[in-house]
Amino acid sequence: MDDVVGVLTAQIEARFGMSIDHLKAAATAAPAANSDATDIVKWHGMLLESQAALDRAEDALVAVLESQPSEVDDPTMELSHRVDKAVTVRDGRAMVVRWLLDPTAVGKHDQAARLLARFGQRQGPAVPTSPAPRPATAPQPGKSLAR
């Protein structure tokens, strides 16, 4: 844990010149003041959650392996797969935090990034989440058109 989360936390603190707790408080108090800080705080929190899930999965696997004979059964393999998935999630979130910390990262200065900065972030869902309103001339559901 200290390797991945600790290194990234130190990098965040160095970039913003304050502890992660102070940065979280500042981002919570004024999320629009610095969108980079707000994004990093959000993803750092998700990184911490995934690290905690990984720790729990590893602890469960170790407990089973310590109490088991030399052969690994299916439930133990499932725990092993759960650890593997937790590592993947944690590493993916760590990659996002690293990307957010890198001001020269690929994708931060391309056309899409310029458009996003120019027009702002989308406020609603990309796809409508509710059905379109029914036209007044549409037949009622369950009623026949023939009379």
Side-chain angles (χ1 to χ4, degrees):
M1 172 178 149
D2 293 330
D3 293 340
V4 175
V5 175
V7 167
L8 290 173
T9 300
Q11 290 175 358
I12 292 168
E13 291 173 342
R15 173 164 175 202
F16 292 97
M18 63 178 74
S19 73
I20 192 71
D21 292 333
H22 285 109
L23 183 61
K24 286 178 186 179
T28 301
N34 186 333
S35 63
D36 287 346
T38 302
D39 290 343
I40 287 173
V41 164
K42 171 188 166 185
W43 281 95
H44 183 266
M46 292 189 329
L47 175 62
L48 291 175
E49 290 171 6
S50 61
Q51 182 63 52
L54 172 58
D55 291 343
R56 288 189 302 273
E58 287 175 334
D59 291 345
L61 179 60
V62 167
V64 168
L65 289 173
E66 287 176 343
S67 66
Q68 195 173 51
S70 61
E71 281 190 32
V72 176
D73 58 8
D74 287 341
T76 305
M77 282 305 295
E78 183 57 37
L79 285 173
S80 173
H81 292 302
R82 196 171 95 193
V83 168
D84 187 47
K85 290 174 187 174
V87 168
T88 301
V89 170
R90 191 271 321 265
D91 289 351
R93 291 177 178 181
M95 287 176 19
V96 171
V97 171
R98 278 193 293 268
W99 184 84
L100 290 169
L101 285 169
D102 184 358
T104 62
V106 173
K108 286 195 170 183
H109 302 289
D110 62 3
Q111 181 67 22
R114 285 191 294 276
L115 286 173
L116 183 61
R118 183 174 171 199
F119 295 112
Q121 293 183 342
R122 183 174 57 241
Q123 298 299 313
V127 178
T129 57
S130 58
R134 296 179 48 81
T137 59
Q140 293 296 320
K143 300 222 176 178
S144 172
L145 293 175
R147 293 189 186 213

